[in-house]
Amino acid sequence: MSDKSNILKKYKIVFLGDQSVGKTSLITRFMYDTFDETYAATIGIDFLSKTMYLEEGKTIRLQLWDTAGQERFRSLIPSYIRDSHVAVICYDITNKKSFLNLDKWIKDVKLERGDDVIIVLVGNKSDLANDKRQVTIEDVESLHLKIGSKFFIETSTKANHNVKLLFKKIAQSLPEFNNEGTENENNTSNNNHNNPETIDITIDKNAPNPQTLNTCC
Amino acid sequence: MPTDQESSTISLNTSKVHLNPNSHNKLNGHQRNESSNSRSYSFLDYYGAESPPQISSGSTTIKKINGLDTESESIDPSTSLDVLDLKDDTLCADGDVINNSKSLDSEHRENYIQPINMASKSEILKSNFDRYGFKKGSTLHNITMEDYNEWFNIYSDSELRQLKKWHLLMKHHGFQIEENNNEEYIPTRFPPRSDKVKKMIRKGIPSSWRGNAWFFYAGGYDKLNKNTGVYEKIVANTRGIKNKDTEVIERDLNRTFPDNIYFNSNLSNNTDLKEEPNLIKSLRRVLIAFAHYQPQIGYCQSLNFLAGLLLIFMTEERTFWMLVILTEKIIPKVHSQNLEGVHTDQGVLILCIKEYIPSLWNILGKNFDGEPLEEDKILIRLPPITLVTSSWFMSLFVGILPIETVLRIWDILWYEGSKTIFRFSLTIFKLCLDSPDFQMNSQNGSSETEQIELFQFMQSFPKKLLDSNLLIDCCFKKIGGYGFGSLSQDEINRCRSFVSKQREKINQKNKNKSLTEMTDEEKTLIGNDIHDIYGFNRSIMSGMVWNKNIRKKLSSHKKK
């Protein structure tokens, strides 16, 4: 791989998923490290970009596309899914329906991009796992294996759990970083889309968050 | 889950009360008077001597609804229409017995807008919230509280001057202005349409008059008059129902104006009262009723913003009819199931840019990789920038521009119609193009970067347009502005029908591959004589060039 130290490599990442699963919240937590109980509903598409510092002085620029969740807005989306490197498809672990709808979102993405896009499954609101969980880890794991997504992860934007890790994993999944052994975790990144990696996503509120690995941001 | 809360009254907000402004000032400048719900106002007090309502006859004959008859002062359409015949059992779903006069007494509407006078001005300057209950300097607007106060300090003075002019206008048209120390004069009828009135509206309607004025000029009385009691019936019939729409609505209620004190009880200092705010309840009823009344639309995200903002200014029932007028007449199909109207209007907007701001088209008319779009493919694959502008049309700039700027555009929109959205979209584009920041941005960088940067810039730029007077001057002024006032409704309508025909063709073609694309003749026309085929009147605006005044204004605006 040639020396890219002077050129900021850019990646487009689109966030999809049902209404109010926490797409805006995920992006806001990542961008500004803040959390509000409520964000105004996203209409159409919002755009944000952030530079991420990785190991060995590598820098990449992530372009994040936040979308409206309501079904009818899908007709506005395809034109830019076409260009994205990563589709982060989100659901709410306390809302079974948002999980069942993942099928539709995945179908949309694959229709546009075939297997050419990295799909990531994110179950948000893991802080409510104890009393309100409706989607189990087994549920998402089997979906993950079925569709061949890159990885799946549960996050809590409220408790700031796994959000940085999510973005770090995304960064590591990007084409340029696949064959460079930058990972310092047990699981190794794999550039074969058909053999997706999985990561440990057990929720333990007392344990230190995995994202304290200060490898990004 | 919806609507089990209000067992005591079906508070349809059919009458309107303006609390003594002083009663607001006790708490934070914006706390509503908590006891107001239980206070027993006399109905006559609300309307004073202006219009004794005839409660006995639920549907008073309305002589004039459009304010054309200045003699019929004694009959106030709003009052008489607000007094609804509630005798039948439609509203008694939960066994509530509704007594006409009693229900009106308890179902008054609170006033959510702080009027402008010297006392309230200093209150507002001190408060964390603006006079509509929105948090000042929220991240949504990218404006700090200091910025806001600095601007408001000047703006409120100009609004006071404007209020005096409105009083003169009203007097000139024979309206009696009742003023006393406690009650702000708020007209329910307005002068008939004229150039003078249009001019006044472009300079801004006094905030506490807005709800009534919007409703009046949008043709609300006409709708209401033909549909007496309809809203109440729908509300009664849709109470507690659950379907796909209500589920989506329920999720959006608290995500409408989380930074507004009337929509988010967490913002209130009073921690004891964490009940669901009245406006959230109203919003729920209006959106559910609307989805029921317009099944071809149902509920579409962004309607929550429109209904929410309307509710700050008018009653639930009127908000409902305004949504109906908007989706039937002003921006049809924009909120429909397939968002066809969004695609059409974005196509029109793109053609307008191509026609009237060619220099911007040179930048925008590219795909994400920076390759120029083929002329005849524009309408098939709209340029990426329409991802930004779609929401301008769907939420009518709510959440896109600072709230006061939105209100100024709404003043004009309800009076002048949908061309207003196009005119202001073009103005925002042109201001953006002319802003020093943009010029710096667009000078360097590869084409792909350019597109992305442009996208980002276009998204954040409008949020800073706090100076509504500048925006409106730029839109309409022919000298020292862009003169987009020349873009007529007729042009827009013709262009809309052209675009929608082309889209039909495309859709047909997708279904049936054998159909041809745009004809060669049409392709040539698009390439050469674009204004002929779309019916643009370019000649009117030719020679309209970038003016140094605007650059000056912009840079001074920026320095502030």
Side-chain angles (χ1 to χ4, degrees):
Chain A
M1 198 137 299
S2 61
D3 178 30
K4 300 269 182 178
S5 55
N6 289 326
I7 302 161
L8 207 53
K9 195 103 167 116
K10 291 181 176 126
Y11 295 95
K12 291 166 198 159
I13 299 171
V14 61
F15 286 74
L16 302 168
D18 276 13
Q19 178 203 21
S20 82
V21 296
K23 299 179 290 294
T24 304
S25 182
L26 264 174
I27 292 174
T28 311
R29 173 59 91 180
F30 174 62
M31 293 285 295
Y32 311 110
D33 199 17
T34 57
F35 173 81
D36 283 339
E37 283 293 334
T38 41
Y39 291 94
T42 306
I43 303 303
I45 289 102
D46 273 352
F47 173 83
L48 288 160
S49 67
K50 176 157 178 140
T51 304
M52 231 174 130
Y53 303 97
L54 302 164
E55 300 93 340
E56 298 160 25
K58 277 198 198 65
T59 310
I60 56 170
R61 192 143 178 96
L62 300 181
Q63 297 166 348
L64 311 176
W65 303 78
D66 190 10
T67 66
Q70 199 186 5
E71 194 168 344
R72 66 185 71 183
F73 284 84
R74 288 184 199 184
S75 71
L76 298 178
I77 296 173
S79 59
Y80 74 88
I81 289 184
R82 198 167 288 126
D83 298 315
S84 60
H85 299 89
V86 183
V88 180
I89 309 184
C90 310
Y91 64 97
D92 170 359
I93 67 152
T94 69
N95 177 354
K96 184 86 180 177
K97 205 173 166 191
S98 71
F99 178 75
L100 296 175
N101 280 340
L102 289 183
D103 274 341
K104 283 195 242 169
W105 290 109
I106 292 160
K107 213 175 120 201
D108 272 11
V109 171
K110 293 208 164 177
L111 204 66
E112 278 292 331
R113 295 272 300 183
D115 290 327
D116 211 20
V117 61
I118 297 166
I119 293 179
V120 173
L121 303 177
V122 178
N124 194 31
K125 309 195 188 176
S126 65
D127 52 290
L128 302 171
N130 288 342
D131 22 324
K132 290 188 176 169
R133 179 188 283 280
Q134 291 183 2
V135 183
T136 65
I137 294 192
E138 289 73 33
D139 290 338
V140 62
E141 187 171 16
S142 71
L143 180 68
H144 156 74
L145 292 171
K146 191 178 118 198
I147 64 151
S149 57
K150 191 74 180 172
F151 64 89
F152 64 93
I153 188 169
E154 287 190 352
T155 58
S156 165
T157 50
K158 188 173 186 174
N160 197 7
H161 181 246
N162 273 353
V163 178
K164 277 186 184 172
L165 181 64
L166 163 69
F167 282 91
K168 180 173 169 261
K169 303 292 298 176
I170 290 172
Q172 288 169 346
S173 313
L174 294 168
E176 191 183 333
F177 298 93
N178 276 341
N179 44 11
E180 301 174 77
T182 53
E183 289 73 26
N184 55 0
E185 287 161 312
N186 297 335
N187 52 324
T188 47
S189 176
N190 197 322
N191 58 0
N192 181 352
H193 291 190
N194 299 323
N195 186 8
E197 60 180 332
T198 33
I199 58 163
D200 181 20
I201 52 167
T202 47
I203 307 299
D204 183 353
K205 280 177 183 165
N206 300 320
N209 289 344
Q211 81 263 19
T212 43
L213 296 165
N214 47 6
T215 47
C216 65
C217 325
Chain B
M1 281 300 101
T3 65
D4 45 327
Q5 303 86 343
E6 322 92 53
S7 55
S8 59
T9 57
I10 301 172
S11 39
L12 296 174
N13 289 342
T14 45
S15 65
K16 183 159 183 167
V17 157
H18 302 285
L19 299 172
N20 181 341
N22 298 330
S23 67
H24 283 254
N25 299 341
K26 282 184 286 189
L27 304 154
N28 204 15
H30 271 276
Q31 289 285 354
R32 279 169 290 154
N33 188 334
E34 294 297 344
S35 65
S36 58
N37 272 324
S38 56
R39 280 165 68 178
S40 172
Y41 285 89
S42 153
F43 188 67
L44 289 178
D45 286 346
Y46 308 154
Y47 296 96
E50 189 190 342
S51 52
Q54 300 167 10
I55 294 178
S56 56
S57 62
S59 52
T60 314
T61 331
I62 310 303
K63 278 184 188 163
K64 292 288 167 188
I65 19 178
N66 285 321
L68 298 171
D69 183 1
T70 47
E71 287 170 358
S72 62
E73 204 73 70
S74 61
I75 296 170
D76 181 336
S78 75
T79 333
S80 40
L81 285 165
D82 278 345
V83 183
L84 293 154
D85 193 352
L86 300 171
K87 267 179 284 184
D88 62 16
D89 58 359
T90 49
L91 287 178
C92 302
D94 286 359
D96 299 332
V97 178
I98 309 242
N99 170 304
N100 272 359
S101 51
K102 217 179 192 176
S103 66
L104 285 165
D105 274 351
S106 57
E107 286 169 17
H108 71 261
R109 180 191 149 81
E110 292 164 75
N111 185 16
Y112 297 100
I113 309 146
Q114 220 171 342
I116 284 286
N117 52 49
M118 289 325 273
S120 69
K121 182 178 164 179
S122 66
E123 285 288 336
I124 296 163
L125 283 171
K126 271 183 250 162
S127 169
N128 288 327
F129 298 91
D130 71 12
R131 60 187 150 142
Y132 315 106
F134 287 97
K135 227 187 224 167
K136 290 179 190 170
S138 75
T139 49
L140 177 71
H141 303 139
N142 274 6
I143 288 164
T144 65
M145 203 161 138
E146 289 72 34
D147 292 340
Y148 184 92
N149 284 341
E150 193 187 336
W151 162 81
F152 182 72
N153 201 15
I154 299 164
Y155 186 79
S156 53
D157 288 342
S158 75
E159 198 183 297
L160 275 172
R161 286 193 297 275
Q162 189 61 16
L163 180 63
K164 281 186 189 141
K165 288 184 193 166
W166 273 97
H167 278 183
L168 286 175
L169 180 79
M170 297 305 281
K171 279 180 189 154
H172 176 77
H173 282 272
F175 290 82
Q176 278 184 346
I177 297 178
E178 304 286 338
E179 272 179 298
N180 59 54
N181 293 333
N182 295 326
E183 288 278 339
E184 197 191 0
Y185 166 65
I186 296 175
T188 48
R189 298 167 59 242
F190 294 85
R193 289 168 178 275
S194 68
D195 282 352
K196 174 69 187 164
V197 170
K198 186 167 84 179
K199 224 174 170 179
M200 286 291 284
I201 282 178
R202 286 181 181 180
K203 286 186 175 167
I205 299 170
S207 257
S208 37
W209 298 17
R210 275 195 165 112
N212 289 350
W214 293 347
F215 191 73
F216 182 89
Y217 287 115
Y221 286 118
D222 197 29
K223 262 290 183 215
L224 200 55
N225 199 20
K226 285 178 187 153
N227 295 281
T228 312
V230 168
Y231 177 69
E232 284 72 16
K233 278 184 188 151
I234 301 171
V235 168
N237 292 338
T238 53
R239 268 193 119 181
I241 61 158
K242 280 177 192 172
N243 56 39
K244 211 177 171 186
D245 285 326
T246 60
E247 197 182 307
V248 185
I249 289 169
E250 206 56 40
R251 286 180 181 275
D252 271 359
L253 292 175
N254 292 316
R255 307 196 308 145
T256 300
F257 294 134
D259 62 340
N260 186 296
I261 200 161
Y262 305 129
F263 287 84
N264 183 354
S265 52
N266 292 324
L267 294 173
S268 148
N269 289 339
N270 194 339
T271 45
D272 304 334
L273 290 163
K274 290 295 178 199
E275 278 176 29
E276 186 172 58
N278 285 339
L279 282 190
I280 292 283
K281 291 177 185 165
S282 294
L283 185 61
R284 176 185 292 115
R285 283 189 296 260
V286 168
L287 292 175
I288 291 176
F290 180 83
H292 183 79
Y293 185 77
Q294 303 272 51
Q296 75 286 6
I297 294 173
Y299 173 68
C300 176
Q301 291 194 298
S302 73
L303 287 174
N304 58 325
F305 297 126
L306 305 179
L309 191 58
L310 286 168
L311 281 170
I312 297 176
F313 290 88
M314 62 183 74
T315 65
E316 230 176 280
E317 182 180 38
R318 289 173 173 221
T319 296
F320 174 82
W321 291 114
M322 289 292 268
L323 289 182
V324 172
I325 290 167
L326 181 80
T327 51
E328 278 178 354
K329 292 183 183 156
I330 301 177
I331 42 171
K333 294 186 182 165
V334 161
H335 298 92
S336 65
Q337 297 287 350
N338 56 6
L339 305 183
E340 182 56 29
V342 175
H343 296 284
T344 309
D345 280 350
Q346 292 309 299
V348 175
L349 179 65
I350 288 305
L351 295 174
C352 286
I353 292 170
K354 200 166 183 295
E355 180 72 6
Y356 291 120
I357 320 179
S359 55
L360 185 63
W361 175 252
N362 291 338
I363 300 169
L364 293 180
K366 293 172 183 165
N367 64 16
F368 266 119
D369 300 322
E371 296 155 355
L373 296 170
E374 288 174 57
E375 293 283 0
D376 57 321
K377 294 269 168 28
I378 297 168
L379 298 179
I380 302 172
R381 202 160 272 196
L382 291 164
I385 196 69
T386 56
L387 297 177
V388 177
T389 49
S390 294
S391 63
W392 298 4
F393 283 67
M394 299 192 77
S395 47
L396 297 177
F397 301 110
V398 177
I400 310 293
L401 294 164
I403 204 69
E404 194 75 45
T405 313
V406 175
L407 296 175
R408 290 289 299 278
I409 293 180
W410 280 31
D411 288 347
I412 301 165
L413 174 79
W414 297 114
Y415 186 92
E416 300 192 39
S418 67
K419 62 188 173 192
T420 309
I421 314 169
F422 292 93
R423 287 170 171 180
F424 279 98
S425 297
L426 290 178
T427 307
I428 294 167
F429 269 125
K430 192 92 168 77
L431 277 171
C432 181
L433 182 69
D434 290 339
S435 81
D437 283 350
F438 180 78
Q439 301 202 325
M440 282 204 338
N441 259 333
S442 60
Q443 266 165 17
N444 46 21
S446 71
S447 282
E448 195 224 335
T449 315
E450 202 175 88
Q451 286 298 300
I452 296 294
E453 298 296 326
L454 177 78
F455 200 105
Q456 194 160 16
F457 192 82
M458 281 310 306
Q459 202 173 268
S460 57
F461 180 78
K463 294 182 179 169
K464 295 172 193 138
L465 289 171
L466 191 54
D467 190 346
S468 45
N469 286 326
L470 172 77
L471 182 72
I472 286 163
D473 282 354
C474 284
C475 181
F476 292 112
K477 278 196 176 169
K478 286 183 182 161
I479 298 163
Y482 304 134
F484 286 133
S486 310
L487 179 65
S488 71
Q489 189 68 52
D490 203 33
E491 278 175 278
I492 296 295
N493 293 345
R494 275 184 302 207
C495 196
R496 267 179 172 169
S497 96
F498 174 83
V499 171
S500 96
K501 262 184 217 149
Q502 290 301 325
R503 286 193 52 84
E504 252 169 55
K505 254 194 212 177
I506 294 160
N507 291 338
Q508 276 296 320
K509 195 190 139 205
N510 287 346
K511 278 182 204 152
N512 179 1
K513 296 275 183 195
S514 68
L515 278 177
T516 52
E517 294 184 23
M518 211 181 268
T519 64
D520 285 345
E521 189 192 5
E522 281 166 334
K523 276 188 200 173
T524 328
L525 280 167
I526 271 193
N528 303 329
D529 274 328
I530 194 168
H531 49 291
D532 290 343
I533 187 165
Y534 304 137
F536 281 138
N537 309 324
R538 181 161 57 180
S539 58
I540 298 174
M541 310 225 292
S542 62
M544 201 49 67
V545 283
W546 156 241
N547 189 300
K548 278 180 188 164
N549 284 337
I550 297 165
R551 192 195 300 265
K552 257 188 238 160
K553 277 184 198 165
L554 270 175
S555 12
S556 68
H557 179 63
K558 211 184 131 40
K559 271 175 213 152
K560 280 179 203 163

